[in-house]
């Protein structure tokens, strides 16, 4: 099993920055892709970003490309999401997730493990 613990959410003003962290523990060697998803009230969970554990290949939703950066720290088994130029529409609960294989990267239900979620609120 893999456990994911998120941190870094909070309240920021539009145009500000925030960095989310997701610490992974357990049998992390089985994970190949780490992803970030978000869900606003009344909306479906949507893909935000993903990164391969080895190689660091990244994938981004069009809505965040150029503003958000996903990264991994192999030594710390930690996933990060650096969020810059935040907008009010970025307000949501953000979840980190992990999966074993680089397939169906954009599909939330294809991920095997999930963090508890962390609230990000962007005020205007």
């Amino acid at each position: 099993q893999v456990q994911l613990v998120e941190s870094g959410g909070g309240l920021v003003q539009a145009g500000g920055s925030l960095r989310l962290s997701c610490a992974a523990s357990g049998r992390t060697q089985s994970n190949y892709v780490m992803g970030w998803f978000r869900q606003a009230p009344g909306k479906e969970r949507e893909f935000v970003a993903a990164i391969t554990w080895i190689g660091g290949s990244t994938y981004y939703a069009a809505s965040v490309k150029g503003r958000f950066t996903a990264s991994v720290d192999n030594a710390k088994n930690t996933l990060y999401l650096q969020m810059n130029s935040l907008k009010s529409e970025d307000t949501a609960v953000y979840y980190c997730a992990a999966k074993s294989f680089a397939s169906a990267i954009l599909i939330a239900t294809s991920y095997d493990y999930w963090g508890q979620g962390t609230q990000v609120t962007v005020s205007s």
Side-chain angles (χ1 to χ4, degrees):
Q1 296 293 109
V2 173
Q3 295 79 45
L4 304 175
V5 180
E6 298 172 323
S7 62
L11 174 65
V12 297
Q13 294 185 353
S17 298
L18 200 63
R19 188 180 74 164
L20 305 183
S21 299
C22 178
S25 61
R27 299 189 66 181
T28 57
Q29 66 270 30
S30 66
N31 297 321
Y32 187 73
V33 180
M34 300 289 287
W36 287 100
F37 292 80
R38 67 187 183 187
Q39 188 166 23
K43 298 182 179 179
E44 295 183 359
R45 187 167 299 186
E46 66 172 339
F47 170 79
V48 176
I51 184 169
T52 58
W53 197 261
I54 302 298
S57 297
T58 54
Y59 309 84
Y60 297 97
S63 59
V64 306
K65 193 171 185 178
R67 299 188 297 120
F68 291 9
T69 303
S71 62
V72 294
D73 185 329
N74 291 324
K76 296 181 179 180
N77 287 330
T78 300
L79 168 71
Y80 300 98
L81 183 67
Q82 178 66 48
M83 304 184 294
N84 298 325
S85 301
L86 284 162
K87 306 174 180 179
S88 60
E89 53 262 43
D90 294 319
T91 296
V93 176
Y94 284 70
Y95 300 89
C96 64
K99 70 195 310 293
S100 298
F101 305 104
S103 62
I105 292 173
L106 308 187
I107 308 300
T109 54
S110 75
Y111 284 74
D112 303 304
Y113 306 100
W114 291 85
Q116 78 284 1
T118 184
Q119 176 70 232
V120 172
T121 302
V122 183
S123 64
S124 59

